[in-house]
Amino acid sequence: MSGICGGGAGADPLLAAAAIQWANQSQCECISMDDDSQFARLWGLCILAAILFCTAVTAPFCPRRWYRRLRKCCCRRCEGTGEEAPPEGEEREGEKDGGGETGGAVADEEAQEKPCVESASWWDDPTEGVEDHPEPDITAAERHLVSSSATKSGQWRSIWETSAGDLGEIGGPGTALYFVLLRCLGIVFAYMTALSCASVAFNALSSFAPDTGNFLSKTTIGNIGSSVSGAELPPEQRYIILKDEAGECQGSQVSLVTAIIGWLDFSATVIFLVAVLMFRFVLIPRIAEQTDADEITPADYAVEIENLPRRFEGMEEFVDADGRTAYERELSELICQRVMAVREKERLRAGASAEPADAGAPVKVEEMVLVRDFDERLGALKATAEWRKEQKIAEYCGEEKAAARLEKRIKKTSEKLDKKLRPEHELDVVRAYVILSNSRDAKRLVTDFRFSTYGLLRHFSQCVSKFAHLERCCPQRHRIFRGKAIQVTRAPEPSNIIWDNQDVPSWERHMRQGFICIVFLTIVIISFVLVYVANVGAKKSTMSSNQLLGSEECDPDLSRIATSDGTEVYRCLVQNATNWTRDFLTQNASGIEKACYCGSVGYGTIVQDPFLLNYVCKDWLLAIGTGIGLGVLATSIVVVINVVCKTVLLALAEQEKPLSFSALNAAKMVKIFALQTLNTGFVIFCVNFSPPAGVPFGDIIFLGEFKDSVRGWYTVVGAAILSNMLANAITPAATNIGMMVTAKAMRFCCKSRKKHQARLLKLYTNPDFDMAARFAQLLNTIFVTLTYSSGLPMLNLFACLYMLFTYWADKIILLRASSRPPAYDTQIVHEAVSIMIYSVPLHCIFAIWMFGQPCTFPSNPLGGQLANLAAQGSAASSNTATPDGLAERLSKESTWMITALLVLLVALYLVWTVLWILGGTLGELFNILILFACPKRMKVAPAPDESDSLFWKDAKERIERECPPASYKMTRHPAFKQVGKYMLEGKSFRATRNSFRSSRTGLSNGDDSPAKKPPVPEEVALGFLKALRAEFIQEEEGAVAKYLDDRGLSEEEREQLATCEEFVKKGGASEREAAIKDVAAKWGMTCPS
């Protein structure tokens, strides 16, 4: 074999000798250095594969469009049966949401025939009356499973047809944005995989990296080019060899390919950056606004009022027939006055011809919930109530010991609470949630109080209001309530509120956050050290597989590694090992020399040669297997450490006392993400890293041998990261699906063993949809992928698969195996996407580190071959051969554009930091000056949405049917709904027992409110009370309606009695009796038996 085709006249002797080896390895007669047809063919195949892959990945992320087109085609057969096909974009009745627990696009025919009133019965809470009927009821448990899950009108939603808007209806814009983010990132990483397809192909077809039997290491840039044994070929003369079907070989210089790979990686980075920025600044506001406009929720009609007076004399006195206290009445009057004032301004501005649609509608406060200061003991009250519930269950089931233990615990805790807490009506007011009758009025109120979000203005208004002669000079004087400049903002969704933390003052939350941040950093450092020690122990017990090429820029630094007896590590030179004969290996070679030889020839050669497999390399293979086992053990230790630390961090996040579940999940997300990313993606890097001289504590912290991204780094560190991320792409989705199947199996097997209905309901309650853990895992995947994807291009594919699998697995879990999540706002998504932006500069830093390595990834300096020749001539004249410095790495053909992007990002970050500092100090004052100069500039006109067409009375029924609860009362919150009755048994609540009960029924306080005559004659009222008992207690259907028809009452009298009927109807089975008694007490009558 002649090596280079055509004789290779004028070729470098080292290159000619290397070409002979390459021809022998490829079994070619010679290698053509001029023909590049094979490379053009490979580029074409990469482009075709990229297009097919992007199409295959994009289609599953856009199912609804394809499904509707398929259904449109299938519906053409309806013409033969005489059935009319549905118009485009519409669906037959019952096809949208599906039916049955296992899913499906078409509902059962019987379910379609049921009227809407009957379907609403699915929302009747099956947990009501559990104490009165403790016998297990499978039917009620199945109803509870449906009503507590992400269903609609008592039917399971279709997995295939549920859109992002439907997901927003289930769990607010935060849940919808999570799935939209997964879909967008899946498509983005599909494009990034397409751009890195060529890099994977050239790497996999090369043989430069040591062959350890791990295919994933062959896909890294550490394998690009063909290896040479026994010849010191300069890196810039390394070639990529391709062989066609005819047995002819072609070669191309690696440095010509690396520049293109660098540009492809830069393009992929720009695509990711643009996608994240678009999502952060365009899609999040747009989807949040669209979700808010399309969905009708309690927050559309509600406002949150803060900075209220905590108490004043006589504030709890009942002052009107509706049982409102003085506090509630005065605050309601202020709200109504401000809404009427805004309406009048709108009327004067628009004229009589363009009056608003709700101009004649009365301004009414439908619901006002005052949040009380329980001195941060509401959680203890809730826990005590849960113990009381468990105690009664244990007593019913005959578990006397458990009931006795719970009794002692309840008694001890209740005594402490009764000493510390006053009755509820005597507690201070923290804030208020107010529902208005019209969503437009809620928007008007927020707009009218837009200045109240600035603390300086509120403080100024409060000070001026104290002086009578200056009060008229204050434009905010009409917005003062009892000497306090109140703050009015849009209210969160009721299910997003954490009631346990509502009474924690803001200064205490900030103090907690600062302290927990210090504790969090301490725990992360401790976990990092433990994981680091586990990996170092596994590394020291594993045989080193570093093979040296004899070049400083290509080899690891073995001088920092010592054996167990303190001697220097054996230096395995590939040039010497490949020349050893079999006689030497069998007769004279030591164990370390045999290992050196086996590592040099590679795993592929060993498995094909029985002599090497069974004799020479047998111990080496056993050592490799032992190292893999120790690595698995170290990984198991890391998993245990992560689980323990994750549990502690989740508890810490709870102690920050956030006001909403969105804020709580955001805090959990950041902590879990930091822990997982450090222990998963960076510990193994630090274990194998050898820092440059002068790094503080470098010799203590970093114990590795790789000071640069040499080829051995990719076989050790790169292969481990690829293996971890491949498992990460599949494991989370598979684990969640497995847990869902396990839960269904547990229900099937254990339902007959439950002796109490409450325990059966618990078995039939789906677990929560853990948003924090999912976002943390997503951020971990993105950061590890972006950090190393330049040198490990397969990471883009693994990230794409993670997005695809997780999207569909989580959608199945949410719609079939999760309880209805809170209505998350955009906070957690906003913070997650903001964190993702920082992965781009991190990617640029590691890309420069990998692409700038002169041996592994040879690339010409900026300027091409001319600049390369000039640099070689300069080096020859100065007789120096030092490795490339930082300036050379930054200015190579494969790195200069990434360097420019990094500089741009750093500059933008500095500008943003300066603006953030100024905005946090002078920004509020600057905004206030603008507001005073141009008050209309900051006025936000109410954005039209679907809720504008409905008043609260009509919207409430729809909300209760589709996404309950439709109230801000604490006892309607899912966390307190089942324990409200038991909270009444505490001494602190007995004084306000009727108040707490009436929060369920909508009635006013009974014992403390002044007695009142009924709105109809007493004999009519008495008959009405008997009709209520007949219909709601004795279950005589239509008893109230029949009585009202028989009495021939006026329309006004019927409306007043219908309101009382509605109050009784709202209560559950266990509370309707009490509600009827409250009606009688309100009218000053005795409830008939």
Side-chain angles (χ1 to χ4, degrees):
M1 297 184 182
S2 58
I4 301 176
C5 295
D12 185 274
L14 291 177
L15 178 59
I20 295 175
Q21 287 193 27
W22 294 335
N24 291 330
Q25 294 173 0
S26 304
Q27 298 180 356
C28 303
E29 290 293 332
C30 61
I31 298 176
S32 175
M33 300 296 187
D34 300 324
D35 189 6
D36 57 358
S37 59
Q38 282 295 106
F39 288 89
R41 181 183 178 186
L42 181 60
W43 280 108
L45 291 175
C46 290
I47 294 174
L48 178 61
I51 295 174
L52 293 176
F53 178 78
C54 290
T55 304
V57 171
T58 304
F61 279 120
C62 305
R64 293 183 50 134
R65 183 180 304 172
W66 305 109
Y67 180 72
R68 288 186 176 181
R69 290 181 180 178
L70 178 63
R71 187 176 57 194
K72 182 180 178 181
C73 296
C74 294
C75 285
R76 293 175 182 172
R77 61 178 181 165
C78 298
E79 298 176 359
T81 61
E83 185 179 349
E84 184 180 356
E88 182 177 359
E90 297 183 6
E91 302 151 343
R92 288 187 179 85
E93 184 180 357
E95 283 188 344
K96 183 176 181 181
D97 298 316
E101 185 173 352
T102 59
V106 182
D108 187 81
E109 294 181 0
E110 296 181 0
Q112 295 180 24
E113 296 175 357
K114 291 182 179 180
C116 296
V117 176
E118 292 188 14
S119 65
S121 65
W122 279 92
W123 290 112
D124 291 343
D125 190 359
T127 61
E128 298 285 0
V130 169
E131 296 76 17
D132 301 329
H133 305 283
E135 298 82 7
D137 185 351
I138 300 295
T139 303
E142 291 175 347
R143 288 177 53 214
H144 169 70
L145 177 65
V146 174
S147 65
S148 61
S149 301
T151 53
K152 182 177 181 179
S153 299
Q155 293 184 355
W156 297 94
R157 296 174 185 262
S158 169
I159 295 173
W160 190 255
E161 276 280 88
T162 302
S163 65
D166 299 329
L167 295 172
E169 179 183 311
I170 294 171
T175 303
L177 283 168
Y178 168 70
F179 286 94
V180 174
L181 180 61
L182 279 177
R183 183 177 61 193
C184 292
L185 289 177
I187 296 174
V188 167
F189 276 107
Y191 295 149
M192 295 174 69
T193 302
L195 291 173
S196 62
C197 180
S199 176
V200 174
F202 283 113
N203 297 336
L205 293 173
S206 301
S207 60
F208 184 64
D211 183 9
T212 60
N214 190 339
F215 171 76
L216 293 176
S217 63
K218 291 183 174 294
T219 64
T220 66
I221 65 171
N223 194 49
I224 193 168
S226 298
S227 61
V228 181
S229 302
E232 296 183 359
L233 184 70
E236 61 273 7
Q237 294 187 12
R238 194 164 73 248
Y239 276 69
I240 300 173
I241 309 300
L242 297 181
K243 181 181 179 181
D244 59 11
E245 295 82 354
E248 296 180 358
C249 294
Q250 299 175 8
S252 178
Q253 200 168 359
V254 172
S255 58
L256 299 178
V257 179
T258 55
I260 301 176
I261 292 176
W263 273 104
L264 292 175
D265 182 81
F266 170 77
S267 302
T269 307
V270 171
I271 289 175
F272 177 83
L273 178 61
V274 172
V276 172
L277 292 177
M278 286 287 293
F279 198 93
R280 164 65 176 79
F281 296 103
V282 178
L283 278 181
I284 290 180
R286 179 186 300 172
I287 293 178
E289 182 178 354
Q290 180 180 354
T291 304
D292 180 63
D294 294 343
E295 304 299 333
I296 297 179
T297 64
D300 294 328
Y301 299 83
V303 295
E304 179 181 0
I305 305 178
E306 295 188 276
N307 200 40
L308 288 165
R310 296 182 66 85
R311 65 182 304 104
F312 56 83
E313 186 176 355
M315 71 177 196
E316 291 301 332
E317 294 179 359
F318 294 92
V319 296
D320 58 18
D322 294 329
R324 293 188 303 174
T325 63
Y327 200 113
E328 294 169 338
R329 189 199 65 176
E330 292 185 22
L331 186 57
S332 299
E333 290 176 352
L334 175 63
I335 291 173
C336 294
Q337 290 173 5
R338 295 314 309 160
V339 173
M340 292 298 296
V342 176
R343 282 190 181 184
E344 181 65 18
K345 290 181 181 179
E346 291 179 357
R347 188 188 66 80
L348 295 176
R349 190 183 306 114
S353 59
E355 288 188 355
D358 60 343
V363 181
K364 184 179 179 182
V365 174
E366 297 285 353
E367 178 182 279
M368 178 177 292
V369 177
L370 299 179
V371 180
R372 303 287 182 168
D373 185 3
F374 287 90
D375 197 19
E376 303 179 27
R377 290 182 171 86
L378 187 58
L381 289 170
K382 176 186 171 186
T384 306
E386 291 174 348
W387 295 338
R388 290 193 180 98
K389 179 180 178 181
E390 290 297 327
Q391 180 192 13
K392 293 191 176 182
I393 294 173
E395 291 174 350
Y396 177 84
C397 297
E399 301 171 357
E400 298 179 358
K401 293 183 179 180
R405 287 195 300 268
L406 289 169
E407 176 65 27
K408 292 180 180 179
R409 188 185 302 174
I410 292 169
K411 183 178 180 180
K412 182 178 179 181
T413 307
S414 299
E415 289 176 353
K416 293 181 180 179
L417 291 174
D418 293 341
K419 292 179 181 178
K420 297 291 184 179
L421 284 179
R422 297 170 293 172
E424 183 192 11
H425 69 282
E426 298 180 6
L427 300 177
D428 294 346
V429 176
V430 177
R431 60 176 55 84
Y433 295 106
V434 180
I435 296 180
L436 301 175
S437 60
N438 189 345
S439 64
R440 291 177 179 269
D441 290 341
K443 296 173 184 177
R444 292 185 179 107
L445 194 63
V446 172
T447 303
D448 185 57
F449 280 85
R450 62 191 182 278
F451 296 99
S452 66
T453 57
Y454 300 100
L456 289 176
L457 279 181
R458 292 201 309 271
H459 183 70
F460 173 76
S461 301
Q462 287 182 196
C463 294
V464 172
S465 64
K466 296 179 181 179
F467 303 95
H469 61 285
L470 295 177
E471 185 178 2
R472 297 182 61 83
C473 301
C474 177
Q476 303 296 317
R477 64 184 182 277
H478 299 299
R479 300 171 181 86
I480 303 296
F481 178 65
R482 287 278 181 167
K484 299 283 288 186
I486 61 177
Q487 177 181 348
V488 179
T489 56
R490 183 175 176 177
E493 297 294 343
S495 59
N496 196 26
I497 296 173
I498 303 179
W499 275 94
D500 304 40
N501 303 337
Q502 291 295 301
D503 53 357
V504 179
S506 59
W507 64 267
E508 182 179 338
R509 283 199 302 273
H510 293 314
M511 292 289 291
R512 285 174 173 268
Q513 290 171 0
F515 176 76
I516 290 174
C517 181
I518 298 174
V519 178
F520 161 70
L521 293 176
T522 304
I523 293 175
V524 168
I525 292 174
I526 293 174
S527 68
F528 184 86
V529 171
L530 294 175
V531 173
Y532 187 88
V533 170
N535 281 271
V536 169
K539 179 180 174 63
K540 287 187 176 181
S541 302
T542 305
M543 178 182 294
S544 175
S545 59
N546 289 308
Q547 290 78 42
L548 309 181
L549 298 178
S551 173
E552 182 180 353
E553 63 185 13
C554 297
D555 296 334
D557 183 13
L558 300 182
S559 62
R560 303 186 71 250
I561 304 178
T563 60
S564 57
D565 57 359
T567 60
E568 187 177 351
V569 174
Y570 176 78
R571 298 181 63 84
C572 175
L573 290 174
V574 177
Q575 299 176 12
N576 298 336
T578 53
N579 293 324
W580 290 339
T581 64
R582 295 197 172 190
D583 292 338
F584 172 78
L585 293 172
T586 56
Q587 299 175 8
N588 302 323
S590 62
I592 191 64
E593 289 174 332
K594 291 180 180 179
C596 175
Y597 175 82
C598 297
S600 300
V601 298
Y603 180 82
T605 303
I606 294 172
V607 296
Q608 296 177 2
D609 190 337
F611 174 75
L612 297 178
L613 181 63
N614 298 322
Y615 297 99
V616 177
C617 298
K618 182 178 180 180
D619 293 337
W620 180 78
L621 292 173
L622 291 175
I624 293 296
T626 302
I628 294 174
L630 292 173
V632 172
L633 178 61
T635 302
S636 302
I637 296 174
V638 171
V639 170
V640 173
I641 294 173
N642 282 342
V643 170
V644 174
C645 293
K646 178 181 176 180
T647 304
V648 176
L649 292 179
L650 291 178
L652 284 177
E654 298 274 358
Q655 294 304 315
E656 290 184 1
K657 302 294 183 180
L659 296 178
S660 67
F661 285 101
S662 295
L664 175 61
N665 279 274
K668 291 181 178 180
M669 174 196 69
V670 173
K671 293 172 176 58
I672 300 173
F673 153 69
L675 176 72
Q676 291 181 343
T677 304
L678 285 176
N679 292 345
T680 302
F682 292 98
V683 168
I684 191 171
F685 176 84
C686 297
V687 168
N688 294 275
F689 182 65
S690 175
V695 176
F697 306 103
D699 294 336
I700 300 176
I701 300 176
F702 303 102
L703 304 177
E705 66 271 24
F706 297 110
K707 61 183 178 182
D708 209 343
S709 55
V710 296
R711 65 180 195 140
W713 185 90
Y714 291 94
T715 61
V716 177
V717 181
I721 293 174
L722 285 169
S723 300
N724 291 338
M725 297 308 292
L726 175 59
N728 174 79
I730 304 172
T731 303
T735 302
N736 290 332
I737 295 295
M739 293 175 64
M740 179 185 72
V741 175
T742 303
K744 291 181 180 294
M746 289 292 292
R747 291 190 193 118
F748 179 79
C749 298
C750 302
K751 61 183 179 182
S752 60
R753 303 177 186 177
K754 301 302 178 181
K755 300 179 181 179
H756 196 283
Q757 180 67 5
R759 292 181 177 176
L760 184 62
L761 292 177
K762 185 176 181 180
L763 179 65
Y764 273 79
T765 301
N766 281 323
D768 295 333
F769 189 76
D770 193 347
M771 191 71 76
R774 284 170 165 82
F775 267 108
Q777 189 70 33
L778 175 62
L779 286 174
N780 176 39
T781 302
I782 289 175
F783 264 77
V784 176
T785 299
L786 266 292
T787 300
Y788 300 108
S789 61
S790 296
L792 314 176
M794 285 290 287
L795 289 178
N796 292 324
L797 173 62
F798 298 159
C800 179
L801 295 178
Y802 170 83
M803 305 298 167
L804 178 63
F805 295 154
T806 303
Y807 176 85
W808 285 108
D810 282 355
K811 195 171 184 181
I812 293 172
I813 295 298
L814 176 63
L815 298 179
R816 292 293 182 272
S818 292
S819 59
R820 179 180 292 272
Y824 292 110
D825 56 28
T826 61
Q827 179 178 357
I828 186 172
V829 188
H830 186 279
E831 292 190 17
V833 178
S834 299
I835 293 173
M836 290 179 193
I837 299 175
Y838 293 97
S839 65
V840 178
L842 189 63
H843 172 85
C844 293
I845 293 173
F846 273 80
I848 294 171
W849 183 66
M850 293 175 177
F851 287 167
Q853 217 289 328
C855 178
T856 304
F857 202 76
S859 179
N860 295 323
L862 187 61
Q865 292 289 346
L866 184 61
N868 195 17
L869 293 173
Q872 292 177 4
S874 175
S877 62
S878 60
N879 295 324
T880 59
T882 58
D884 289 6
L886 179 60
E888 288 79 4
R889 288 199 171 198
L890 297 175
S891 59
K892 288 180 176 291
E893 286 185 339
S894 58
T895 59
W896 71 268
M897 56 286 198
I898 301 176
T899 303
L901 178 62
L902 177 61
V903 172
L904 176 63
L905 292 174
V906 172
L908 291 176
Y909 177 76
L910 292 176
V911 172
W912 178 85
T913 303
V914 172
L915 294 177
W916 176 73
I917 294 174
L918 294 177
T921 54
L922 303 177
E924 185 173 349
L925 179 60
F926 182 72
N927 288 333
I928 291 175
L929 295 177
I930 292 180
L931 286 174
F932 273 115
C934 306
K936 295 182 180 181
R937 178 177 178 180
M938 298 294 290
K939 186 174 294 186
V940 181
D945 56 40
E946 190 175 353
S947 62
D948 294 341
S949 61
L950 291 177
F951 287 92
W952 174 248
K953 182 179 180 181
D954 301 321
K956 184 177 182 180
E957 297 179 359
R958 175 174 171 179
I959 294 171
E960 288 288 1
R961 185 173 64 253
E962 296 181 356
C963 49
S967 174
Y968 282 87
K969 295 171 183 175
M970 182 173 63
T971 49
R972 291 298 313 280
H973 193 278
F976 288 85
K977 192 174 183 180
Q978 298 184 24
V979 297
K981 174 181 178 180
Y982 299 96
M983 294 181 71
L984 294 173
E985 298 181 8
K987 180 179 177 181
S988 300
F989 279 91
R990 288 173 188 160
T992 53
R993 187 183 187 93
N994 290 326
S995 174
F996 205 74
R997 180 195 303 144
S998 64
S999 67
R1000 295 280 305 216
T1001 61
L1003 294 173
S1004 60
N1005 291 357
D1007 295 341
D1008 298 329
S1009 59
K1012 178 189 175 185
K1013 293 182 179 181
V1016 293
E1018 289 191 9
E1019 64 273 9
V1020 177
L1022 183 61
F1024 176 72
L1025 292 174
K1026 292 180 179 179
L1028 287 176
R1029 288 188 57 82
E1031 178 166 341
F1032 296 107
I1033 305 301
Q1034 301 170 7
E1035 298 183 355
E1036 296 181 11
E1037 186 175 357
V1040 174
K1042 184 176 182 301
Y1043 177 77
L1044 295 178
D1045 293 338
D1046 293 342
R1047 297 296 301 187
L1049 301 178
S1050 65
E1051 189 66 27
E1052 182 180 356
E1053 290 175 331
R1054 291 177 66 94
E1055 287 182 1
Q1056 293 177 350
L1057 294 180
T1059 302
C1060 297
E1061 180 188 5
E1062 182 68 22
F1063 289 159
V1064 176
K1065 187 185 297 183
K1066 288 179 183 178
S1070 62
E1071 292 192 357
R1072 287 172 178 170
E1073 174 98 25
I1076 296 174
K1077 292 181 179 179
D1078 286 343
V1079 174
K1082 178 181 177 181
W1083 292 346
M1085 301 177 63
T1086 302
C1087 183
S1089 58

